[in-house]
Amino acid sequence: RLGTSVPDWPAFPDSTEALRRLSTRFKLIILSNVDKISFAGSNARLGVGFDRRITPEEVGSYKPAARNFEVLKEYADSQGLKVLHVAQSLFHDHVPAARAGFQGVWINRRHTRPGWGATPDPGVGVRPDWTFNSMAEFADAAAP
């Protein structure tokens, strides 16, 4: 049931407006851990167009697998793009993104709470290049 509930999950309250603002200055690429159909439900809630969607069906694996970040890098290189990887999960995103050579922005939504929440301990030290407590804070800095 959990897997089929993904299209019904609410977006974070600040995500739609932040992504809309960011899309005026940057290409938005999502490297997702959910299938195309589930992401379509999430994307409808966000109401924001992404320039590229990379899903597990395309890649054949789930993050934190290195292959996911290789596919992102291959796409970015083919388009002449530089990637700034923005994510919450240190384990699923920031550790493998750093290994792939991407700069990173950590959205530390749990900044007032201890622990890792729904994601595992990253198991290694990782230092994203920038940290913000919300997507709104990041958008304020990157796309005022």
Side-chain angles (χ1 to χ4, degrees):
R1 271 199 263 187
L2 179 63
T4 59
S5 72
V6 173
D8 300 322
W9 294 358
F12 287 103
D14 65 328
S15 293
T16 296
E17 178 60 18
L19 288 168
R20 186 198 61 73
R21 288 172 47 206
L22 291 164
S23 73
T24 66
R25 296 201 50 210
F26 307 99
K27 291 193 178 289
L28 300 181
I29 302 168
I30 186 159
L31 179 59
S32 180
N33 255 3
V34 299
D35 62 87
K36 290 176 188 177
I37 292 171
S38 296
F39 179 72
S42 298
N43 198 72
R45 289 184 190 291
L46 287 171
V48 176
F50 287 87
D51 297 282
R52 177 79 162 85
R53 292 172 275 322
I54 301 171
T55 65
E57 293 137 315
E58 175 183 348
V59 178
S61 61
Y62 292 92
K63 298 182 292 182
R67 177 72 185 134
N68 295 65
F69 295 86
E70 291 166 5
V71 170
L72 174 58
K73 184 167 179 19
E74 290 165 5
Y75 174 73
D77 288 350
S78 76
Q79 300 298 306
L81 302 173
K82 292 182 181 179
V83 173
L84 177 61
H85 189 76
V86 180
Q88 184 277 322
S89 176
L90 295 174
F91 177 84
H92 293 98
D93 286 283
H94 287 287
V95 170
R99 287 183 181 142
F102 297 135
Q103 289 188 307
V105 172
W106 182 26
I107 306 301
N108 184 10
R109 293 190 184 275
R110 294 186 53 81
H111 63 277
T112 61
R113 294 171 283 178
W116 303 107
T119 64
D121 180 324
V124 298
V126 60
R127 292 185 179 208
D129 299 282
W130 298 273
T131 300
F132 295 92
N133 295 331
S134 68
M135 284 293 292
E137 280 186 18
F138 173 55
D140 287 344

